[in-house]
Amino acid sequence: HVDVVNALLSSDGIEVNQTGTNSGTPLWIACDKGHVDVVSALLKTEGVDVNLAQNGCTPLYMACQNGHLDIVDSLLSVERININQAKENGGSPLFIACGKGYVNIVRTLLAADGVDVNHATKDFGRTPLWIACGKGDINIVSALVDVNGINVNQADNNQTTPLSVAA
């Protein structure tokens, strides 16, 4: 529906960041659904908030959760993107991409400036490395351990390390 979106975006006074009772912004919805052309159109619109979350999930988080690599690339090209903005439980875009096994998204996030590879969830204290080890995902684990500054011994709230969860 990119033509419809573009027609609406050309209207004076359009509210690009308006949310519904149970839905996110138009950008959030497009990132969730994988509508690359709509995301591109919205990102060109003045005033669009790329970090506005719905239920704690940002547009970047939704794109990472659903495996939309092209959208992740588009969002990371926006200077004001907060790559580490996490849900209420502390799950970051990198964490969800690791948990879902999206190695290309993980590599893209790791190549971006400012990504926090040691960011732990608030609820269980688990890091992206911890979750990747728990899933036995060698490709993601290999990508993570190659990052300068990764804490391979960072334990969760129960003092379980990535090595222990992989064993």
Side-chain angles (χ1 to χ4, degrees):
H1 301 114
V2 70
D3 293 334
V4 174
V5 169
N6 282 327
L8 290 167
L9 290 175
S10 68
S11 299
D12 287 338
I14 191 77
E15 295 287 337
V16 294
N17 296 313
Q18 188 169 341
T19 62
T21 304
N22 295 311
S23 66
T25 65
L27 179 62
W28 187 96
I29 293 167
C31 289
D32 181 40
K33 292 182 176 183
H35 296 167
V36 177
D37 294 338
V38 173
V39 169
S40 180
L42 289 165
L43 289 178
K44 294 174 188 168
T45 305
E46 186 176 335
V48 69
D49 186 344
V50 295
N51 298 309
L52 192 58
Q54 170 69 20
N55 296 326
C57 300
T58 64
L60 179 60
Y61 186 96
M62 296 310 296
C64 290
Q65 175 176 278
N66 294 313
H68 303 308
L69 179 60
D70 291 346
I71 292 175
V72 171
D73 283 332
S74 294
L75 290 168
L76 291 177
S77 72
V78 177
E79 188 175 307
R80 61 193 180 280
I81 192 79
N82 181 348
I83 194 170
N84 298 308
Q85 188 173 334
K87 292 176 53 175
E88 288 93 1
N89 73 352
S92 67
L94 179 60
F95 181 87
I96 194 65
C98 289
K100 293 283 188 166
Y102 297 130
V103 67
N104 290 335
I105 291 178
V106 169
R107 288 183 178 132
T108 298
L109 292 168
L110 292 176
D113 289 336
V115 67
D116 182 355
V117 295
N118 297 312
H119 180 86
T121 61
K122 293 177 187 174
D123 51 3
F124 297 107
R126 295 176 179 159
T127 64
L129 180 61
W130 195 102
I131 197 72
C133 288
K135 299 227 174 237
D137 195 320
I138 185 60
N139 295 318
I140 292 178
V141 170
S142 295
L144 289 166
V145 298
D146 283 345
V147 174
N148 189 28
I150 186 86
N151 182 351
V152 296
N153 296 309
Q154 188 170 341
D156 70 359
N157 293 347
N158 292 320
Q159 300 309 306
T160 306
T161 65
L163 182 58
S164 295
V165 79

